[in-house]
Amino acid sequence: MRAVWNIHLATFFFFLAYGLTVPVLPLYLKAHGVGTAWVGWVVALMPLAGLLLRPFGGWAADGWSRKKPGLIGLGLGALAGLLYMGPLVSVMAGRFLQGAAMALFAPSSLALTSDLVPESLIGRVMGTRNLILGIGVMSGTALGGFMVDLYSFTAVWLLVLLLQFVWIPIYWYGVPETLQEPSRRPWWVNFGSVFANRLILAPTLANTGFAAVFATLQTFYPLVLTEAGYRAAWVGAFLAFYSMVSVVFRVPGGYLSDRLEAGQVALAGFVSATLGLFLLWFMPLPPQAFAAGFFMGAGAGLYLPANIVAVTRAARPELRGSAFSLFTASWDLGGLIGPPVGSVVAAGLGLGAIFPVIASGALMTVVTYVLMRRSAAHRV
């Protein structure tokens, strides 16, 4: 299990670095004179890169190495931090590279973990992974806002660089290679196999919908608060709060997914998150907004590990890299859809119009998920 904990810790630092950028990047772009209508497009460069490179990341994890794509992802993430310190064009390149890093690190580390853990414990281990991941994002979002207020944007970007760079040698020596028989099939054949499996497709599409919703919220909620007179520390505090609640629920979510049907656990999470988004529509400002953040965080804490468990159980072992690549591409696709749509809505109707859009999007996602699961049950 030492190797699993090495992967967990690498995941923590990788997502801590990502979390630092969540509340800071929209403010940094605004400080550079980027208009509200364009902020979402720049933020979407990360999921765009991830979406384009996920097929390669999945093929690499199944056909080349479980370990090396994760190492390359850490290196690209560190380089992104360096580029964030440059002019606007460099910032855009850094955002794109951060997406490439995610496309390589996420499926590789998930496939490694699933190879190293007995299936009877996969829910608890993935719940722990999601707990650690959530602590990383939560810590980053809180720390990023305070660092901007106390120091500067440059201090944030330097930390993004260092957090990932220093872990590369530890990951290299502390994590074994688990791919014994590399797949010789083309990537599109592997992807076709996992895409045809509705037990993989249902959580993937649902994750896409909620990724779009939360990416839109993370992009524009900082602007809502600053427009209302709140400092950057309030932005980080709110994002960190619902991340903290999510973290608290992730281990129970993984445990329940071992004991119960993972799809039902995920559905409970989707409903809770949707309730929170509707509450945020009616109570958008602190401190009342923290009540909405509780339900949002609790929902995410349940559905994130439950979805991963569902994909693990539905995928054949030799296709886990491709299955996780497809599943994690849902984060990229959601992030690519949400912020640009939010830019159009905010520019045309104002920032306040973001709230009914994301609440309605979450509700439609829940309905689609239920219908897809019923369809899969009828096919079986």
Side-chain angles (χ1 to χ4, degrees):
M1 291 295 288
R2 179 179 295 179
V4 172
W5 276 103
N6 273 323
I7 300 170
H8 284 344
L9 290 173
T11 300
F12 170 78
F13 286 111
F14 184 87
F15 282 94
L16 174 62
Y18 163 71
L20 286 167
T21 70
V22 170
V24 172
L25 185 59
L27 304 178
Y28 188 61
L29 293 171
K30 185 178 179 181
H32 275 69
V34 178
T36 301
W38 291 100
V39 168
W41 295 99
V42 176
V43 171
L45 285 172
M46 176 178 170
L48 174 63
L51 193 62
L52 292 174
L53 294 173
R54 291 284 180 183
F56 174 78
W59 169 85
D62 285 337
W64 176 43
S65 167
R66 294 285 208 231
K67 175 180 174 179
K68 292 176 183 176
L71 281 166
I72 296 172
L74 287 168
L76 292 178
L79 180 58
L82 180 65
L83 291 173
Y84 277 139
M85 289 186 260
L88 183 58
V89 173
S90 176
V91 172
M92 295 171 68
R95 185 65 176 172
F96 190 86
L97 272 189
Q98 200 171 27
M102 191 77 75
L104 294 173
F105 181 83
S108 169
S109 59
L110 280 166
L112 270 170
T113 303
S114 65
D115 287 347
L116 292 168
V117 175
E119 186 173 344
S120 61
L121 298 177
I122 196 69
R124 273 161 277 190
V125 172
M126 289 301 185
T128 302
R129 171 196 165 87
N130 270 273
L131 168 69
I132 292 168
L133 184 157
I135 292 174
V137 175
M138 175 190 69
S139 303
T141 53
L143 185 60
F146 281 107
M147 287 186 71
V148 169
D149 282 346
L150 296 176
Y151 300 104
S152 65
F153 287 113
T154 300
V156 176
W157 307 140
L158 184 61
L159 191 57
V160 169
L161 186 160
L162 292 175
L163 285 171
Q164 295 166 98
F165 182 77
V166 298
W167 200 259
I168 292 175
I170 301 173
Y171 197 86
W172 176 264
Y173 290 108
V175 177
E177 176 60 68
T178 62
L179 186 64
Q180 303 300 323
E181 297 183 13
S183 172
R184 300 187 181 279
R185 302 195 306 174
W187 69 265
W188 58 86
V189 175
N190 288 349
F191 259 68
S193 297
V194 298
F195 192 81
N197 188 330
R198 294 196 180 186
L199 294 177
I200 296 175
L201 190 59
T204 299
L205 291 179
N207 210 58
T208 301
F210 277 93
V213 163
F214 280 105
T216 306
L217 178 67
Q218 290 169 352
T219 300
F220 293 99
Y221 193 64
L223 303 181
V224 170
L225 290 188
T226 54
E227 190 177 81
Y230 291 84
R231 294 176 61 85
W234 273 105
V235 177
F238 176 80
L239 296 177
F241 173 75
Y242 86 71
S243 296
M244 179 187 69
V245 176
S246 171
V247 162
V248 170
F249 276 83
R250 291 188 191 194
V251 170
Y255 180 82
L256 288 171
S257 298
D258 277 337
R259 294 298 184 93
L260 306 172
E261 203 274 310
Q264 293 295 330
V265 179
L267 179 59
F270 294 145
V271 171
S272 177
T274 302
L275 174 60
L277 290 163
F278 272 94
L279 288 174
L280 190 66
W281 179 5
F282 295 103
M283 302 184 300
L285 299 178
Q288 292 88 350
F290 285 82
F294 175 83
F295 288 98
M296 291 158 50
L302 291 175
Y303 76 67
L304 285 169
N307 278 342
I308 292 175
V309 172
V311 172
T312 302
R313 289 175 176 164
R316 301 202 306 269
E318 68 272 17
L319 295 178
R320 281 175 176 165
S322 297
F324 283 124
S325 181
L326 178 67
F327 174 72
T328 56
S330 62
W331 295 327
D332 297 321
L333 183 57
L336 183 62
I337 293 170
V341 170
S343 288
V344 173
V345 172
L349 301 175
L351 287 169
I354 292 295
F355 297 109
V357 169
I358 60 177
S360 300
L363 182 59
M364 289 189 292
T365 299
V366 174
V367 172
T368 302
Y369 178 73
V370 171
L371 292 176
M372 281 205 67
R373 279 178 50 82
R374 287 181 178 177
S375 175
H378 289 322
R379 289 188 65 179
V380 174

